[in-house]
Amino acid sequence: MSEKAKKGFKMPSSYTVLLIIIAIMAVLTWIIPAGAFVDGVYKAQPQNPQGIWDVLMAPIRAMLGHEPTKAAIDVSFFILMVGGFLGVVNETGTLDVGIASIVKKYKGREKMLIVILMPLFALGGTTYGMGEETMAFYPLLVPVMMAVGFDSITAVAIILLGSQIGCLASTLNPFATVIASDTAGVPTADGIVLRLIFWFVMVAMSTYFVYRYADKIQKDPTKSLVYSQREEDLKHFNVTDNDDAPSVLSKKQKHVLYLFIATFVIMVASFIPWTDLHIDLFENFNSWLTGLPVIGKIIGSSTGALGTWYFPEGAMLFAFMGILIGIVYGLKEDKIISAFMNGAADLLSVALIVAIARGIQVIMNDGMITATILHWGEQGLKGLSSQLFIILTYIFYLPMSFLIP
């Protein structure tokens, strides 16, 4: 058998796959009629096919912003700041000791971590549509799951399935349920009992699914879908099988851990649109704090209340907390900066892929085929029975949800 045959097919990188999709979308702009929604009504538009130059420029336009596609730079920069933050935390050794502590504590009942964590991520999804914010959790959970005997896919499944099952069963999600209820002219509370039942059922099913997969991997690591890169992943995430590794945090590391936890609590609290959920606590507190005669000026009158933050404020939070953690631990200034930069460099590839992925939307919008595809779906589903309409709409939405988000 030839060496080439032994190697077999190798899946191209995510970058290549996304660039191929961008190119395919560009070809479709030559075939699919252009159109746009004007005042809610679909109208045909002059064809605007996208060429090679447009394909090459799509990721650049996506990163910097290109109407009507929102810029990807805010999400990309947020990811870089998360990387910098984790770089400083890693420099303190807190995560390594913390992971060793978790492994020791859950030895023999490691799968309980799945039962605990998946509903937590599902809560984020069901309450405020937790999505891009989960990016910060992958570098944390992957080494934990691998250290207890699972694989990287188990960690990804906990975060991705957990948060997105929560979004699927959005109970109070203002970006989905509240907007849909307002559009339909019905109270948000209508149907909440059914949505809660749906949430519990879906979370239970998805947790069981991941639990079974993790159990299979723990019994036989070769069953892992990514077993071929296990050694590479163990090395990348600095996961060791050293039972003598310290599992007790020092006093300084405990301070770092408290700040670390506080960072994520603040991030989650800041991204939940409390006012849309009719909770004005943070808005009122922010108004009171910034309205104080001297303190308000020192803090800054443009300070946003928790619940009004987005990725720029999230990036600021991680950058500030990364520096603060370095100071609290006693790292020197040059060590804080180098650790921060190294951490940001580790997530640079993730930050760049955000722009490339959003390039798909740039091509579709510039070629004016997004509205046409939506219009075709609208026309094709019109006049169906409510049961069939729901099923076919869901099927139609699946490929769109792959291309657009």
Side-chain angles (χ1 to χ4, degrees):
M1 186 181 291
S2 67
E3 186 67 26
K4 185 176 181 181
K6 286 181 181 179
K7 289 182 178 179
F9 173 76
K10 183 179 180 182
M11 184 70 180
S13 69
S14 302
Y15 301 96
T16 302
V17 171
L18 289 170
L19 288 170
I20 290 172
I21 295 174
I22 290 175
I24 292 172
M25 289 299 111
V27 171
L28 290 179
T29 62
W30 290 73
I31 302 170
I32 297 175
F37 284 102
V38 181
D39 296 328
V41 179
Y42 175 81
K43 293 184 179 180
Q45 302 292 325
Q47 204 73 11
N48 188 32
Q50 303 293 288
I52 295 175
W53 176 260
D54 302 299
V55 170
L56 296 175
M57 284 296 296
I60 312 301
R61 290 168 175 164
M63 178 67 87
L64 302 178
H66 185 64
E67 287 295 335
T69 309
K70 190 176 180 182
I73 187 65
D74 54 352
V75 180
S76 296
F77 194 70
F78 169 79
I79 291 170
L80 291 177
M81 293 303 100
V82 169
F85 166 82
L86 293 175
V88 177
V89 175
N90 282 328
E91 189 66 30
T92 68
T94 302
L95 290 183
D96 292 335
V97 178
I99 290 170
S101 176
I102 292 173
V103 172
K104 185 176 181 180
K105 182 178 179 179
Y106 284 91
K107 195 169 184 65
R109 50 195 181 97
E110 295 86 356
K111 291 187 287 294
M112 281 301 297
L113 289 169
I114 300 170
V115 177
I116 294 170
L117 292 171
M118 281 201 70
L120 288 177
F121 283 106
L123 278 174
T126 196
T127 53
Y128 78 100
M130 190 179 199
E132 294 94 330
E133 308 91 316
T134 59
M135 196 65 69
F137 294 96
Y138 291 104
L140 307 177
L141 201 55
V142 170
V144 172
M145 289 297 111
M146 296 197 71
V148 298
F150 306 139
D151 62 0
S152 56
I153 284 184
T154 305
V156 172
I158 290 172
I159 299 171
L160 186 62
L161 283 183
S163 62
Q164 297 313 300
I165 285 294
C167 288
L168 185 64
S170 291
T171 51
L172 297 172
N173 180 1
F175 304 111
T177 305
V178 175
I179 290 176
S181 298
D182 291 343
T183 303
V186 297
T188 304
D190 277 12
I192 192 168
V193 174
L194 288 174
R195 294 199 297 272
L196 284 169
I197 293 172
F198 185 47
W199 184 86
F200 278 108
V201 171
M202 293 301 294
V203 170
M205 290 175 63
S206 58
T207 302
Y208 177 68
F209 173 76
V210 178
Y211 188 98
R212 283 195 61 186
Y213 175 78
D215 183 55
K216 181 174 67 173
I217 303 308
Q218 195 175 38
K219 291 176 180 176
D220 184 2
T222 62
K223 299 288 187 181
S224 170
L225 296 173
V226 288
Y227 180 73
S228 61
Q229 63 187 59
R230 181 172 179 80
E231 291 303 319
E232 182 183 341
D233 287 343
L234 289 170
K235 183 179 179 182
H236 178 79
F237 289 102
N238 195 29
V239 180
T240 63
D241 295 325
N242 184 9
D243 293 332
D244 298 326
S247 58
V248 179
L249 296 167
S250 67
K251 187 175 181 180
K252 284 185 175 181
Q253 287 175 331
K254 286 181 179 179
H255 294 156
V256 170
L257 182 61
Y258 297 147
L259 289 172
F260 179 84
I261 294 172
T263 303
F264 284 91
V265 170
I266 294 171
M267 181 197 75
V268 172
S270 68
F271 279 19
I272 297 176
W274 298 105
T275 53
D276 290 344
L277 300 175
H278 308 294
I279 299 173
D280 299 323
L281 173 65
F282 295 111
E283 190 74 37
N284 294 336
F285 175 76
N286 184 72
S287 299
W288 170 79
L289 187 64
T290 56
L292 294 174
V294 178
I295 297 177
K297 292 291 183 183
I298 294 174
I299 294 175
S301 58
S302 60
T303 305
L306 294 183
T308 63
W309 289 18
Y310 204 50
F311 291 107
E313 291 82 4
M316 173 276 299
L317 171 67
F318 279 102
F320 171 76
M321 294 302 281
I323 295 170
L324 180 61
I325 283 173
I327 294 172
V328 168
Y329 190 76
L331 296 176
K332 293 182 178 179
E333 182 267 347
D334 60 333
K335 182 60 73 174
I336 294 175
I337 297 300
S338 63
F340 194 95
M341 292 302 165
N342 290 336
D346 286 341
L347 289 188
L348 179 61
S349 61
V350 182
L352 290 176
I353 210 167
V354 171
I356 298 174
R358 194 164 288 185
I360 299 170
Q361 192 175 354
V362 169
I363 285 291
M364 292 179 68
N365 288 342
D366 285 1
M368 305 185 77
I369 63 172
T370 306
T372 301
I373 294 172
L374 291 173
H375 177 66
W376 284 353
E378 178 186 26
Q379 294 298 111
L381 297 170
K382 187 184 294 184
L384 299 175
S385 66
S386 58
Q387 294 84 0
L388 189 58
F389 173 82
I390 291 171
I391 295 171
L392 292 180
T393 300
Y394 184 71
I395 294 173
F396 171 76
Y397 177 75
L398 288 176
M400 296 299 293
S401 66
F402 173 77
L403 293 172
I404 302 301

